[in-house]
Amino acid sequence: MTAPGAEPPVLVQYLVLRKDLSQAPFSWPAGAVVAQACHAATAALHLHRNHPHTAAYLEELGRMRKVVLELPQVQTGKDNKRTDKTNKTQNKTQGTKNQVPDETTLKELAETLQQKNIDHMLWLEQPENIATCIALRPYPKEEVSQYLKKFRLFK
């Protein structure tokens, strides 16, 4: 809680969106990709509407802060390993054969957030059941930034 006379914490809603959806083989139009972030953000706010941070966030509509991040670019090679261009690490891909590396990365982030008790919504586009975006409920930046620092602003 905020001490009497102190400024309340700045609340931010973070979203992590799959940029690869706008590229081949998906080639979704920009509006469809943006809609995924909108769906996830709305769902996260609705699911966590009774949390004090969400209530405070929604009280001042003109002061809402959202940060939309993108997953790091991932390339796969013949050896079925993926290379993350931002941190140069290699990991074996996991998941079903229909998952693209960015979907796997998004699901891994969702698992981490779940393990750390960070309230979020993993949006699954239907009927394809494709994970497209994660939206956190509004949080003070310092509470969640450690889980999101490897992602960059969506371009």
Short mmCIF file of all heavy atoms in Angstrom, two decimals, residues 16-41:
data_model
loop_
_atom_site.label_atom_id
_atom_site.label_comp_id
_atom_site.label_asym_id
_atom_site.label_seq_id
_atom_site.Cartn_x
_atom_site.Cartn_y
_atom_site.Cartn_z
N VAL A 16 3.31 -9.11 -24.59
CA VAL A 16 4.37 -9.71 -25.40
C VAL A 16 3.66 -10.36 -26.59
O VAL A 16 2.88 -11.28 -26.43
CB VAL A 16 5.20 -10.74 -24.62
CG1 VAL A 16 6.32 -11.30 -25.51
CG2 VAL A 16 5.78 -10.12 -23.36
N LEU A 17 3.95 -9.83 -27.77
CA LEU A 17 3.24 -10.19 -28.99
C LEU A 17 4.17 -10.87 -29.98
O LEU A 17 5.34 -10.50 -30.10
CB LEU A 17 2.68 -8.90 -29.62
CG LEU A 17 1.84 -8.98 -30.87
CD1 LEU A 17 0.60 -9.84 -30.68
CD2 LEU A 17 1.42 -7.57 -31.30
N ARG A 18 3.66 -11.87 -30.68
CA ARG A 18 4.45 -12.59 -31.67
C ARG A 18 4.54 -11.79 -32.96
O ARG A 18 3.57 -11.64 -33.68
CB ARG A 18 3.79 -13.94 -31.97
CG ARG A 18 3.96 -14.94 -30.87
CD ARG A 18 3.34 -16.26 -31.21
NE ARG A 18 3.79 -16.77 -32.50
CZ ARG A 18 3.21 -17.80 -33.12
NH1 ARG A 18 2.17 -18.40 -32.58
NH2 ARG A 18 3.67 -18.22 -34.27
N LYS A 19 5.72 -11.31 -33.26
CA LYS A 19 5.94 -10.57 -34.49
C LYS A 19 5.95 -11.49 -35.72
O LYS A 19 5.61 -11.07 -36.82
CB LYS A 19 7.25 -9.79 -34.42
CG LYS A 19 7.45 -8.92 -35.63
CD LYS A 19 8.54 -7.92 -35.44
CE LYS A 19 8.55 -7.02 -36.65
NZ LYS A 19 8.83 -5.67 -36.29
N ASP A 20 6.34 -12.76 -35.53
CA ASP A 20 6.43 -13.67 -36.66
C ASP A 20 5.09 -13.90 -37.35
O ASP A 20 5.04 -14.34 -38.49
CB ASP A 20 7.03 -15.02 -36.23
CG ASP A 20 6.09 -15.82 -35.35
OD1 ASP A 20 5.64 -15.29 -34.31
OD2 ASP A 20 5.80 -16.97 -35.71
N LEU A 21 3.99 -13.56 -36.69
CA LEU A 21 2.68 -13.75 -37.31
C LEU A 21 2.50 -12.86 -38.54
O LEU A 21 1.71 -13.18 -39.43
CB LEU A 21 1.56 -13.48 -36.30
CG LEU A 21 1.50 -14.45 -35.12
CD1 LEU A 21 0.48 -13.98 -34.10
CD2 LEU A 21 1.20 -15.86 -35.59
N SER A 22 3.24 -11.75 -38.59
CA SER A 22 3.14 -10.84 -39.74
C SER A 22 4.07 -11.25 -40.88
O SER A 22 4.08 -10.62 -41.93
CB SER A 22 3.45 -9.41 -39.31
OG SER A 22 4.80 -9.31 -38.88
N GLN A 23 4.85 -12.30 -40.67
CA GLN A 23 5.82 -12.74 -41.66
C GLN A 23 5.43 -14.11 -42.19
O GLN A 23 4.59 -14.80 -41.62
CB GLN A 23 7.22 -12.78 -41.02
CG GLN A 23 7.64 -11.43 -40.45
CD GLN A 23 8.74 -11.54 -39.42
OE1 GLN A 23 9.15 -12.62 -39.01
NE2 GLN A 23 9.23 -10.40 -38.96
N ALA A 24 6.06 -14.52 -43.30
CA ALA A 24 5.80 -15.85 -43.86
C ALA A 24 6.23 -16.89 -42.84
O ALA A 24 7.19 -16.67 -42.10
CB ALA A 24 6.56 -16.03 -45.17
N PRO A 25 5.54 -17.99 -42.69
CA PRO A 25 4.46 -18.49 -43.53
C PRO A 25 3.08 -17.97 -43.15
O PRO A 25 2.11 -18.23 -43.85
CB PRO A 25 4.52 -20.00 -43.30
CG PRO A 25 4.95 -20.13 -41.88
CD PRO A 25 5.92 -18.99 -41.66
N PHE A 26 2.97 -17.22 -42.03
CA PHE A 26 1.65 -16.74 -41.60
C PHE A 26 1.16 -15.57 -42.44
O PHE A 26 0.05 -15.59 -42.94
CB PHE A 26 1.67 -16.35 -40.12
CG PHE A 26 2.02 -17.49 -39.21
CD1 PHE A 26 3.28 -17.59 -38.66
CD2 PHE A 26 1.08 -18.45 -38.91
CE1 PHE A 26 3.61 -18.64 -37.82
CE2 PHE A 26 1.40 -19.51 -38.07
CZ PHE A 26 2.67 -19.60 -37.53
N SER A 27 1.98 -14.51 -42.50
CA SER A 27 1.67 -13.29 -43.26
C SER A 27 0.33 -12.68 -42.88
O SER A 27 -0.45 -12.25 -43.73
CB SER A 27 1.73 -13.58 -44.77
OG SER A 27 3.00 -14.06 -45.13
N TRP A 28 0.06 -12.60 -41.57
CA TRP A 28 -1.16 -11.96 -41.12
C TRP A 28 -1.05 -10.46 -41.36
O TRP A 28 0.02 -9.86 -41.19
CB TRP A 28 -1.36 -12.19 -39.64
CG TRP A 28 -1.73 -13.59 -39.24
CD1 TRP A 28 -1.70 -14.72 -40.00
CD2 TRP A 28 -2.18 -14.02 -37.96
NE1 TRP A 28 -2.09 -15.81 -39.28
CE2 TRP A 28 -2.40 -15.41 -38.02
CE3 TRP A 28 -2.42 -13.36 -36.76
CZ2 TRP A 28 -2.84 -16.15 -36.93
CZ3 TRP A 28 -2.85 -14.10 -35.67
CH2 TRP A 28 -3.07 -15.46 -35.76
N PRO A 29 -2.15 -9.80 -41.73
CA PRO A 29 -2.11 -8.34 -41.87
C PRO A 29 -1.88 -7.68 -40.50
O PRO A 29 -2.19 -8.27 -39.45
CB PRO A 29 -3.49 -7.99 -42.43
CG PRO A 29 -4.33 -9.20 -42.32
CD PRO A 29 -3.44 -10.38 -42.07
N ALA A 30 -1.37 -6.45 -40.53
CA ALA A 30 -1.04 -5.74 -39.29
C ALA A 30 -2.25 -5.65 -38.35
O ALA A 30 -2.11 -5.82 -37.14
CB ALA A 30 -0.51 -4.35 -39.60
N GLY A 31 -3.42 -5.40 -38.89
CA GLY A 31 -4.62 -5.29 -38.07
C GLY A 31 -4.93 -6.57 -37.31
O GLY A 31 -5.35 -6.53 -36.14
N ALA A 32 -4.70 -7.71 -37.93
CA ALA A 32 -4.96 -8.99 -37.27
C ALA A 32 -3.97 -9.23 -36.14
O ALA A 32 -4.34 -9.77 -35.08
CB ALA A 32 -4.89 -10.13 -38.29
N VAL A 33 -2.72 -8.82 -36.33
CA VAL A 33 -1.70 -8.98 -35.28
C VAL A 33 -2.02 -8.05 -34.11
O VAL A 33 -1.99 -8.46 -32.95
CB VAL A 33 -0.29 -8.73 -35.84
CG1 VAL A 33 0.75 -8.78 -34.73
CG2 VAL A 33 0.05 -9.74 -36.93
N VAL A 34 -2.36 -6.80 -34.41
CA VAL A 34 -2.72 -5.84 -33.37
C VAL A 34 -3.95 -6.33 -32.60
O VAL A 34 -4.03 -6.19 -31.37
CB VAL A 34 -2.94 -4.44 -33.96
CG1 VAL A 34 -3.54 -3.48 -32.94
CG2 VAL A 34 -1.63 -3.89 -34.51
N ALA A 35 -4.90 -6.92 -33.30
CA ALA A 35 -6.10 -7.43 -32.65
C ALA A 35 -5.76 -8.49 -31.59
O ALA A 35 -6.43 -8.57 -30.55
CB ALA A 35 -7.07 -8.00 -33.68
N GLN A 36 -4.71 -9.27 -31.82
CA GLN A 36 -4.31 -10.28 -30.85
C GLN A 36 -3.90 -9.62 -29.53
O GLN A 36 -4.25 -10.09 -28.44
CB GLN A 36 -3.16 -11.15 -31.39
CG GLN A 36 -3.49 -11.89 -32.67
CD GLN A 36 -4.75 -12.73 -32.56
OE1 GLN A 36 -4.85 -13.60 -31.70
NE2 GLN A 36 -5.72 -12.46 -33.41
N ALA A 37 -3.15 -8.52 -29.62
CA ALA A 37 -2.75 -7.79 -28.42
C ALA A 37 -3.97 -7.19 -27.72
O ALA A 37 -4.06 -7.22 -26.49
CB ALA A 37 -1.74 -6.70 -28.77
N CYS A 38 -4.91 -6.68 -28.51
CA CYS A 38 -6.14 -6.12 -27.93
C CYS A 38 -6.94 -7.19 -27.20
O CYS A 38 -7.43 -6.95 -26.09
CB CYS A 38 -6.98 -5.47 -29.02
SG CYS A 38 -6.22 -4.03 -29.78
N HIS A 39 -7.08 -8.34 -27.82
CA HIS A 39 -7.81 -9.44 -27.18
C HIS A 39 -7.15 -9.83 -25.85
O HIS A 39 -7.82 -9.98 -24.83
CB HIS A 39 -7.83 -10.69 -28.08
CG HIS A 39 -8.61 -10.56 -29.33
ND1 HIS A 39 -9.81 -9.89 -29.44
CD2 HIS A 39 -8.38 -11.07 -30.56
CE1 HIS A 39 -10.27 -9.97 -30.67
NE2 HIS A 39 -9.41 -10.69 -31.38
N ALA A 40 -5.83 -10.01 -25.88
CA ALA A 40 -5.11 -10.43 -24.68
C ALA A 40 -5.21 -9.38 -23.57
O ALA A 40 -5.44 -9.72 -22.40
CB ALA A 40 -3.65 -10.72 -25.03
N ALA A 41 -5.04 -8.10 -23.93
CA ALA A 41 -5.10 -7.03 -22.94
C ALA A 41 -6.49 -6.96 -22.30
O ALA A 41 -6.62 -6.86 -21.07
CB ALA A 41 -4.74 -5.69 -23.58
#
